[in-house]
Amino acid sequence: MTTPNDHQKSDLEVRGEQTATNPNRGSLRSKLVLSLGAMFLVFLVVDEIIRQQVINPSFVRLEHSGAIQDANRVLAAIDVETEYMLEIGKQLAARVDPADLLIERADTNLGSDHSRKPWSTQRVAWVAAVKPDGNWRWLYRGPMLDAIESKDLAFPAIDQLVRESESAFKGKARAAKKLFMFAGAPIKHSGVTSNDYLVVGRALDAEMVRAIRKRTQVDFSVQLTHRPRTTKPFDVWEADRATLVVETPLLGVTSEPLANLFVQVPRDITMRSETTNTVARNTFVFGVIAALLFLLMLLQRIVVGPITAIREHTEQIAEHGLSASQLVLSKNDEIGELADAFERMTLKLSETQRKLADASHAAGMSQVADTVIHNVGNVLTNVNSLIDTANDRVKSLRIGPLDKLARRLQQADAGEELQTAAPKYLQDLAASLLTDRGELAALLSTLRDNVDHIHDVIREQRKHALTHVNKTRFSINGILQEAIDCCRARLDKDKINVTMKRNVDVDVEADRSLLLQIVINIVSNAGYAICANTDSSPSLQIDIEKDKQCVRVLFRDSGCGMSPETLKRVFEAHFTTRDSGSGLGLHFCAVAMQRQGGRITAESEGEGKGSTFVLEVPRPAPATVAIATGSHLPNLAGSPS
């Protein structure tokens, strides 16, 4: 009949076969590679988003800001030129010859005799005296104005400024399809300012554009227009991939648009940023790939490799049982602690397996004992029957007639007939006794066979009852620490402070496994006793003392203590003061210590005052001898020894 365990075992076997067939299926290494690859893609996406949404717009804004600064520099240079003309106008207005204002000349260039006038050495295109009524008197006209009629050089804005201004003025105006910069200042006669203005002008021509370009190191152009192309103070747009254009209007004195200024700025920042971004992106990609490969190798060394070793060790345990080789993993991190905990678990399982084997053996011995008792009882029944039969046969031996014949022959009146018949009687009696002797010998032989059978049964049972103590030499400090480590989780949970005063170079000679179980039992019982006493701080003090014969280990706890009645029975089998206790722990300790040649004792000043358990473990002898003990142990009831 199939049991649930059989189904479970089959499932586990199938999963093991699948893992053995495809070891890389769902492996941690492949998951790490996929995770690192996904992380790499996320890095690339985030990097590209940051470049497109943050870095590139920042460079564009910086480039636009620089282009606008270049446009402002050009406008400032034009304003400087206008200021320069204003200074020229003021100087000429202060030094103009009044006779020049009275002469009417048709020659717009004022003749050769005016070549030495002050304005002839200035960088102006024309000089004129303007009256408030709009009458213009040309004092000087440069070569570029020779082909332009006077009527085409009409400047309504200048006439308005002459009428309305009370001081010098400057600005820009457009006439004859040219853009002029002008400045005017009141003319002084003998130190007295008149209403007439001396106005000077200069065209914003190619020569001036070249001069401003040279001075500002900015490439620009001017285009006459009657309406601006944009309402923005500065409109920045891309002419091509390598050039950025800033467009801004040039306004007259009445804020009317005269021309558009186009500033061409090379996109050095964008080009450099693209080159820098390409180098940075490639460096980032290669760096991230190198970092991920290094991280993968590091994870392989730190995580995957040790976990693989632990998995292989568990597979060995699954295949060969707890007798598999020990897991050796020299690491000081969490995985190392996991390996140590796994090894401790393996040791605990091995010890538990041994205990289960012992328990199974004990249970088997109980059944064997029942069988032995039954068999011995049957044999004893036969023995009793044989003894009764032999007793009856002995009683039926014809010894009485011999005594009578002997006494009759001793009498004086014994006749010849009696003497003649006596030998024949004795021969018959001897034959009868010989027969009885054979039957008694057969009965005794059968009885001996039954007794031998009883001996065989007992001898066979004795073979099962004998156990061996494997005594070795080891440090008591290590066994105590190992026991505390085994109970560490429970001690920490109950906040029990364990202190141990070590004693260097203290070796004992005992069965290490048994002694470990004894110490674990004592520490566990101390933990329960400490938790039961809430009136004192939870603590367990372990001291080590030694003399020539043994090592004494004292376990002092701050637990609930024991009464004198409890002390008398503390090592009895099935005696316990806890509802969930079995009463076998301390009894096992006492029996195990006695088997190793030591002993365990208990002390307490009373309930609520803690307890002290003392282990006396033999020290090493010149030679280690394995001690075999049978099942007959002294009675441990009462005070232990």
Side-chain angles (χ1 to χ4, degrees), residues 141 144-153 175-176 178 180:
R141 291 176 66 176
M144 68 171 295
L145 301 181
D146 290 343
I148 302 177
E149 298 292 338
S150 298
K151 61 182 180 62
D152 295 329
L153 292 175
K178 292 184 181 296
F180 294 92

Side-chain angles (χ1 to χ4, degrees), residues 90-105:
K90 289 180 180 180
Q91 293 176 8
L92 295 178
R95 294 184 293 168
V96 69
D97 188 353
D100 293 333
L101 302 177
L102 301 175
I103 298 175
E104 292 291 343
R105 294 181 182 274

Side-chain angles (χ1 to χ4, degrees), residues 405 408-423:
L405 178 60
R408 184 74 179 88
L409 291 174
Q410 290 176 357
Q411 293 177 1
D413 59 350
E416 181 179 355
E417 182 181 357
L418 179 61
Q419 293 179 357
T420 302

Side-chain angles (χ1 to χ4, degrees), residues 85 89 92-93 124 126-131 136-140 155 158-159 161-162 169 181-187 196-201:
M85 292 187 61
L92 295 178
V124 295
W126 47 265
V127 181
V130 183
K131 292 182 176 295
W136 281 63
R137 185 176 300 278
W138 295 100
L139 302 179
Y140 172 75
F155 297 99
I158 296 177
D159 294 338
L161 288 173
V162 170
F169 57 81
M181 297 180 294
F182 65 84
I187 299 175
D196 298 337
Y197 275 78
L198 183 71
V199 181
V200 297

Side-chain angles (χ1 to χ4, degrees), residues 183-243:
I187 299 175
K188 295 182 180 180
H189 297 286
S190 302
V192 179
T193 303
S194 67
N195 292 330
D196 298 337
Y197 275 78
L198 183 71
V199 181
V200 297
R202 184 180 181 184
L204 187 59
D205 54 5
E207 181 182 358
M208 181 177 288
V209 169
R210 285 193 298 270
I212 295 176
R213 286 177 181 172
K214 184 177 181 180
R215 186 164 61 250
T216 60
Q217 298 297 315
V218 178
D219 186 17
F220 70 95
S221 62
V222 178
Q223 180 181 354
L224 295 178
T225 182
H226 293 281
R227 64 179 64 181
R229 292 179 54 180
T230 177
T231 58
K232 300 178 182 178
F234 297 96
D235 186 17
V236 184
W237 44 276
E238 298 178 1
D240 52 40
R241 187 172 179 270
T243 306

Side-chain angles (χ1 to χ4, degrees), residues 350-385:
S350 178
E351 183 65 21
T352 304
Q353 186 181 45
R354 187 191 62 78
K355 289 183 177 180
L356 289 175
D358 292 342
S360 300
H361 180 71
M365 289 301 299
S366 177
Q367 296 178 356
V368 170
D370 292 339
T371 303
V372 168
I373 292 173
H374 176 73
N375 292 336
V376 171
N378 291 335
V379 175
L380 287 177
T381 301
N382 293 331
V383 169
N384 290 332
S385 299

